[in-house]
């Protein structure tokens, strides 16, 4: 996506690998764009990239809901594949 490349080229020396560094910069850039401008950037995405983006958004929203309601647990890298499956 051209927008990602532009942001990266402009701010790569301001970013660490920490999402908390990137979020305010990216959010600040997007909040200045109109809905139509954002959709224009989304048009550049392949179907796979769009699905990945929406998946990440949904996962983020689910994590927020779980945190708000105090549901779930932190696994710290543990394999939890079977933990929530009901037999």
């Amino acid at each position: 996506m051209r927008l990602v490349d532009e942001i990266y080229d402009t701010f790569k020396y301001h970013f660490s690998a920490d999402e908390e560094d990137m979020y305010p910069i990216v959010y600040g850039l997007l909040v200045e764009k109109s809905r139509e401008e954002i959709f224009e950037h989304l048009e550049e995405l392949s179907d796979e990239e769009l699905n990945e983006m929406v998946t990440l958004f949904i996962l983020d929203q689910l994590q927020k809901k779980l945190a708000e309601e105090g549901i779930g647990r932190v696994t710290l890298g543990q394999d939890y594949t079977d933990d929530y499956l009901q037999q």
Side-chain angles (χ1 to χ4, degrees):
M1 176 187 256
R2 190 179 31 156
L3 179 61
V4 172
D5 294 336
E6 291 171 6
I7 293 170
Y8 179 78
D9 290 339
T10 304
F11 295 99
K12 65 183 167 188
Y13 297 111
H14 299 277
F15 292 146
S16 68
D18 188 355
E19 179 182 330
E20 290 180 13
D21 277 355
M22 294 181 216
Y23 184 88
I25 292 172
V26 173
Y27 185 84
L29 293 169
L30 288 177
V31 78
E32 294 177 358
K33 295 188 177 292
S34 70
R35 185 179 187 93
E36 291 77 23
E37 289 173 310
I38 292 172
F39 281 127
E40 285 174 17
H41 290 294
L42 295 178
E43 296 266 335
E44 296 176 21
L45 297 175
S46 68
D47 289 347
E48 183 179 337
E49 290 169 326
L50 185 60
N51 285 336
E52 182 179 348
M53 185 189 75
V54 172
T55 298
L56 291 173
F57 173 78
I58 291 171
L59 289 173
D60 181 65
Q61 296 302 305
L62 289 171
Q63 288 174 335
K64 285 179 183 176
K65 284 185 171 289
L66 288 170
E68 288 170 1
E69 295 184 18
I71 300 173
R73 60 192 166 114
V74 177
T75 60
L76 300 176
Q78 298 171 16
D79 181 13
Y80 57 89
T81 310
D82 296 323
D83 288 355
Y84 294 106
L85 297 178
Q86 294 181 354
Q87 304 292 332

